Amino acid sequence: CKTASDIGEALAESIMSTDDSTVLSKETRARYRPILGGISIAHKDVTAGTLGMIIYKNGDPFILSNNHVIANTNKAKIGDHIYQPGPFDGGTEEDTVARLHDFVPILHIDDEPISDCKVANSIISLLNRTARLLGSKTRLYARRPFPTNLVDCAIGLVCDPKNAIDKIMHHGVPGNFVTIPIGEKVIMCGRTSGIASGEFVVDDATVRVNMGGGRIAVFEDQMTFDMICQGGDSGSIIMRERDNGVTSLLFAGSARYTIGNKIFNVIKSVESMRGTLA
């Protein structure tokens, strides 16, 4: 059984598509109307990720995916166009299927400034004076604790409700939102990997994720799966194999593991956005 410390040995990466060097599923990169989970999608200024699933707020259909897929890692504006397929897969303005409705901002390690705590800075000043007297060139700085994240998620309002169906490619209708035990078998459909399967191996993991451009974000309370994922699979829904129970939103991976947000953390975040989740 893997442990959380095993996962922490490697820096995970958000997995957007950047090239065609991996084995790609052409089917999931095509243009689809109506749209459904498991296919290529992205913000107009992003390469390509995966449409997780269709959810409903106040009876309206919304795309659920990652912030870094449809909100350009905090850079997007509400109302920005979302293409299906994503731009890397040939999507253009004419392929706009949704507009960005809301997202949970991702907090990066370098977002947190030097601490303004007078007590901490007084202690640090004393230690630095001592170090200077001892001939040491090392200096200390008081910083607030690193900011942490629970989710990498965003939603987009579907432009035409008739152009969205509540299904996941290759897997059919998603089941209820569920929690699962260690060892549970899981499945997904991603833009790049197509159909994939694996096993839930670590709960409550804390991971450092390279969000691109050298910016690092720390995510707590994450699910880790012994399952291969590839660039462009970000945003995929991970489901319990035996009944399609939705358990996680894939957002990152390393050479060995796939990492996802707990679906109940995602839904809680979505419910706090504008409107009410149906």
Side-chain angles (χ1 to χ4, degrees), residues 19-123:
D19 58 52
D20 275 330
S21 61
T22 53
V23 177
L24 300 172
S25 171
K26 293 183 179 180
E27 187 177 16
T28 52
R29 291 180 290 150
R31 183 182 189 274
Y32 284 91
R33 303 294 182 272
I35 57 174
L36 70 164
I39 60 176
S40 171
I41 202 162
H43 179 272
K44 64 183 182 64
D45 296 328
V46 176
T47 54
T50 300
L51 193 166
M53 64 185 295
I54 302 297
I55 60 174
Y56 293 85
K57 288 167 68 70
N58 294 334
D60 295 320
F62 288 80
I63 288 167
L64 172 64
S65 189
N66 297 140
N67 173 329
H68 77 267
V69 173
I70 63 172
N72 198 13
T73 315
N74 303 342
K75 299 184 184 73
K77 297 179 180 179
I78 301 303
D80 276 1
H81 289 191
I82 299 167
Y83 297 169
Q84 196 295 305
F88 191 77
D89 295 325
T92 66
E93 184 69 19
E94 294 180 353
D95 296 303
T96 298
V97 294
R99 289 180 170 83
L100 181 63
H101 183 76
D102 211 345
F103 61 92
V104 177
I106 295 173
L107 305 177
H108 299 86
I109 287 178
D110 56 356
D111 287 340
E112 200 67 16
I114 298 296
S115 174
D116 57 2
C117 175
K118 292 181 179 179
V119 174
N121 281 307
S122 295
I123 294 172

Side-chain angles (χ1 to χ4, degrees), residues 10-266:
L11 178 66
E13 295 188 3
S14 59
I15 42 179
M16 294 302 301
S17 177
T18 55
D19 58 52
D20 275 330
S21 61
T22 53
V23 177
L24 300 172
S25 171
K26 293 183 179 180
E27 187 177 16
T28 52
R29 291 180 290 150
R31 183 182 189 274
Y32 284 91
R33 303 294 182 272
I35 57 174
L36 70 164
I39 60 176
S40 171
I41 202 162
H43 179 272
K44 64 183 182 64
D45 296 328
V46 176
T47 54
T50 300
L51 193 166
M53 64 185 295
I54 302 297
I55 60 174
Y56 293 85
K57 288 167 68 70
N58 294 334
D60 295 320
F62 288 80
I63 288 167
L64 172 64
S65 189
N66 297 140
N67 173 329
H68 77 267
V69 173
I70 63 172
N72 198 13
T73 315
N74 303 342
K75 299 184 184 73
K77 297 179 180 179
I78 301 303
D80 276 1
H81 289 191
I82 299 167
Y83 297 169
Q84 196 295 305
F88 191 77
D89 295 325
T92 66
E93 184 69 19
E94 294 180 353
D95 296 303
T96 298
V97 294
R99 289 180 170 83
L100 181 63
H101 183 76
D102 211 345
F103 61 92
V104 177
I106 295 173
L107 305 177
H108 299 86
I109 287 178
D110 56 356
D111 287 340
E112 200 67 16
I114 298 296
S115 174
D116 57 2
C117 175
K118 292 181 179 179
V119 174
N121 281 307
S122 295
I123 294 172
I124 291 298
S125 177
L126 176 61
L127 291 173
N128 283 336
R129 285 200 298 271
T130 302
R132 190 180 301 111
L133 290 173
L134 295 174
S136 173
K137 295 183 178 180
T138 298
R139 297 294 180 266
L140 303 176
Y141 297 90
R143 291 184 64 92
R144 295 186 180 124
F146 289 147
T148 59
N149 304 270
L150 281 178
V151 297
D152 175 357
C153 73
I155 59 173
L157 178 62
V158 175
C159 297
D160 183 355
K162 297 189 296 296
N163 267 342
I165 55 175
D166 187 19
K167 290 185 178 181
I168 309 292
M169 177 167 281
H170 299 304
H171 298 305
V173 178
N176 296 327
F177 300 133
V178 298
T179 57
I180 59 174
I182 298 295
E184 187 77 57
K185 301 298 183 182
V186 296
I187 55 175
M188 65 164 239
C189 181
R191 171 261 176 199
T192 306
S193 296
I195 300 173
S197 61
E199 180 180 331
F200 179 36
V201 292
V202 176
D203 197 7
D204 299 328
T206 297
V207 294
R208 294 168 59 244
V209 180
N210 182 351
M211 302 304 299
R215 304 198 74 190
I216 307 301
V218 176
F219 287 80
E220 296 181 324
D221 197 24
Q222 302 303 301
M223 302 178 74
T224 308
F225 304 89
D226 189 355
M227 179 170 64
I228 295 174
C229 64
Q230 303 177 72
D233 287 335
S234 283
S236 303
I237 290 296
I238 299 174
M239 300 179 290
R240 186 163 58 188
E241 184 178 51
R242 59 186 171 86
D243 62 359
N244 280 7
V246 177
T247 192
S248 186
L249 177 66
L250 188 159
F251 79 104
S254 68
R256 298 177 59 189
Y257 301 105
T258 289
I259 302 167
N261 308 145
K262 292 183 176 179
I263 195 63
F264 285 106
N265 287 339
V266 172

